[in-house]
């Protein structure tokens, strides 16, 4: 069992557990094989900014093979993992999340999804080519699914062309990224008297859409519209979809990006893999005119590069979109 280098537990943030209420709604489940799935997706994006997809078409072999390769990587000695390079922005990171003081009970590998010949050139292990093969197969399949979901969203919103969102991910200059997160067991959780150590602090994803899959270990939580938090039951056979900040802007706030976080587990290791579908750096992000319906735009136009820079200079929990909101006339 691999553990993070053990710092003082006081260095990490923790929260006190709250008693769950029976009134919490169920996480929306969308069967992508059903003809009415686009309507279910729209409803889930409006009410939760989050949903689970089944019958998604991604081969289970791609999912299990990448999980196996990632587990091997995170089982390597720290000195071997660090040969991958520090996350500036791509590479291996341990506990430190970003440059602004955020920390978590997590280690991770952040990669570009573009077919860079130098992808994981420092990857260690007995068979680095096997890791690269598993990554490429998985990322290609998940990107295809993400684009299909975005086209269903366009259909559900009755906007043309139907690739208005998906073309941004398909663009050769798409600034999409892929992240593998490993949350080792945190034995100190047992001594915190009803509190949990934060593995990854609360935040929204800045891109258009995020596609998450994890092993069968709990920890993920999402925030509801009333500010309460609910735990997301793990499901290693399904994917979970997050609305990102950019999609919130493009729908002029009709969809809301979901705030989420991960709690450390005291017994089991959690492994998650996330595809973040982003536009090209030069892409202008603004509410789509076809969705305005004569209403005022809630957001100023900005490029993805401008927003990405703002996110990079913020802390995880900051409301990054606040700086790009239009102030309503009094």
């Amino acid at each position: 069992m691999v553990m993070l280098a053990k710092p003082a537990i006081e260095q990490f943030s923790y929260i006190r557990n709250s008693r769950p209420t029976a009134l919490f709604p169920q996480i929306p489940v969308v069967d992508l094989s059903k003809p009415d799935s686009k309507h279910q997706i729209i409803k889930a994006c409006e009410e939760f900014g989050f949903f689970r997809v089944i019958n998604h078409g991604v081969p289970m072999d791609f999912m299990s093979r990448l999980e196996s390769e990632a587990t091997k990587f995170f089982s390597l000695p720290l000195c071997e993992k660090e040969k991958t390079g520090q996350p500036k922005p791509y590479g291996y990171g341990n506990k430190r999340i970003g440059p602004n003081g955020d920390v978590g009970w997590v280690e991770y590998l952040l990669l570009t999804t573009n077919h860079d010949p130098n992808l994981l050139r420092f990857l260690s292990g007995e068979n680095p080519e096997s890791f690269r093969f598993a990554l490429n197969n998985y990322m290609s399949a998940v990107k295809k699914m993400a684009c299909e979901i975005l086209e269903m969203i366009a259909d559900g919103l009755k906007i043309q062309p139907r690739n208005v969102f998906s073309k941004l991910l398909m663009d050769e200059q798409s600034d999409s990224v892929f992240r593998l997160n490993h949350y080792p067991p945190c034995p100190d959780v047992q001594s915190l008297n009803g509190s949990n150590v934060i593995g990854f602090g609360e935040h929204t994803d800045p891109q258009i859409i995020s596609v998450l899959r994890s092993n069968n270990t709990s920890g993920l939580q999402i925030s509801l519209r009333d500010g309460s938090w609910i735990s997301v039951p793990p499901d290693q056979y399904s994917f979970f979809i997050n609305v990102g900040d950019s999609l919130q802007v493009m729908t002029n706030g009709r969809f809301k990006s979901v705030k989420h976080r991960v709690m450390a587990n005291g017994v089991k290791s959690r492994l998650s893999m996330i595809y973040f579908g982003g536009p090209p750096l030069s892409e202008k992000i603004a509410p789509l005119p076809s969705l305005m319906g004569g209403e005022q735009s809630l957001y100023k136009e900005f490029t993805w590069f401008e927003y990405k820079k703002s996110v990079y200079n913020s802390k995880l929990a900051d409301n990054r979109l606040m700086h790009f909101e239009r102030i309503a006339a009094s």
Side-chain angles (χ1 to χ4, degrees):
M1 182 181 296
V2 177
M3 301 293 292
L4 294 182
K6 187 176 180 181
I9 196 68
E10 290 80 6
Q11 293 181 15
F12 295 89
S13 299
Y14 59 92
I15 60 170
R16 185 161 298 280
N17 292 330
S18 58
R19 180 176 298 176
T21 170
L23 298 179
F24 278 160
Q26 295 291 316
I27 302 295
V29 180
V30 177
D31 184 340
L32 293 185
S33 67
K34 296 295 179 64
D36 66 338
S37 57
K38 63 184 179 183
H39 302 299
Q40 295 177 339
I41 291 173
I42 298 300
K43 188 172 187 290
C45 289
E46 290 176 339
E47 296 180 0
F48 288 82
F50 181 87
F51 56 95
R52 178 165 69 96
V53 294
I54 60 175
N55 291 324
H56 43 69
V58 178
M60 188 63 204
D61 179 60
F62 288 4
M63 299 155 68
S64 57
R65 184 168 297 184
L66 180 56
E67 181 178 327
S68 175
E69 293 294 338
T71 299
K72 291 177 187 176
F73 173 80
F74 288 119
S75 297
L76 292 170
L78 181 60
C79 61
E80 290 295 312
K81 290 180 284 193
E82 288 179 337
K83 289 180 181 178
T84 309
Q86 295 299 308
K88 297 180 179 179
Y90 305 115
Y92 171 78
N94 186 342
K95 297 186 292 293
R96 187 170 179 237
I97 304 170
N100 301 304
D102 291 298
V103 296
W105 191 262
V106 64
E107 58 177 340
Y108 60 90
L109 192 59
L110 187 63
L111 308 166
T112 173
T113 61
N114 296 326
H115 291 282
D116 186 338
N118 292 322
L119 176 67
L120 297 182
R121 63 190 183 279
F122 298 120
L123 187 63
S124 300
E126 294 181 359
N127 191 355
E129 286 301 323
S130 178
F131 199 168
R132 293 187 184 96
F133 183 74
L135 272 168
N136 286 332
N137 280 343
Y138 181 88
M139 287 194 294
S140 295
V142 169
K143 176 181 177 180
K144 180 175 182 290
M145 176 183 61
C147 288
E148 289 172 352
I149 289 173
L150 289 174
E151 290 175 0
M152 289 181 186
I153 288 175
D155 289 342
L157 293 173
K158 296 181 172 58
I159 54 178
Q160 292 290 338
R162 73 187 303 260
N163 71 340
V164 64
F165 302 121
S166 63
K167 68 181 181 181
L168 303 178
L169 275 58
M170 295 301 296
D171 193 295
E172 289 184 359
Q173 300 301 315
S174 168
D175 186 43
S176 298
V177 296
F178 187 72
R179 186 181 189 107
L180 291 164
N181 286 336
H182 174 232
Y183 304 90
C186 183
D188 294 292
V189 167
Q190 309 300 325
S191 64
L192 290 177
N193 298 320
S195 295
N196 275 337
V197 173
I198 292 179
F200 208 111
E202 64 179 76
H203 63 286
T204 59
D205 295 335
Q207 292 86 358
I208 297 171
I209 190 173
S210 306
V211 182
L212 163 73
R213 187 231 169 219
S214 71
N215 64 355
N216 221 26
T217 301
S218 62
L220 177 63
Q221 298 181 345
I222 64 169
S223 177
L224 302 178
R225 295 290 182 256
D226 64 2
S228 59
W229 290 86
I230 61 171
S231 294
V232 178
D235 183 347
Q236 61 186 329
Y237 304 107
S238 302
F239 287 90
F240 294 92
I241 309 300
N242 294 352
V243 169
D245 294 343
S246 295
L247 188 55
Q248 175 174 325
V249 171
M250 295 175 80
T251 60
N252 202 36
R254 180 170 172 178
F255 295 173
K256 298 290 187 184
S257 54
V258 63
K259 188 179 294 184
H260 53 289
R261 66 190 182 192
V262 176
M263 298 292 107
N265 192 291
V267 179
K268 297 175 63 179
S269 175
R270 184 174 191 272
L271 182 73
S272 62
M273 42 194 78
I274 313 102
Y275 168 80
F276 299 95
L281 290 172
S282 61
E283 184 69 26
K284 293 179 179 179
I285 306 297
L288 297 177
S290 56
L291 293 178
M292 297 292 290
E295 297 179 358
Q296 181 182 1
S297 171
L298 300 179
Y299 304 96
K300 306 170 188 175
E301 182 180 270
F302 54 85
T303 66
W304 170 239
F305 174 80
E306 290 170 334
Y307 190 57
K308 184 176 180 180
K309 182 178 179 181
S310 174
V311 169
Y312 189 76
N313 291 324
S314 304
K315 293 182 71 66
L316 273 179
D318 289 348
N319 179 4
R320 285 86 61 107
L321 276 179
M322 178 178 64
H323 304 295
F324 297 90
E325 294 174 349
R326 290 188 184 276
I327 301 175
S330 56

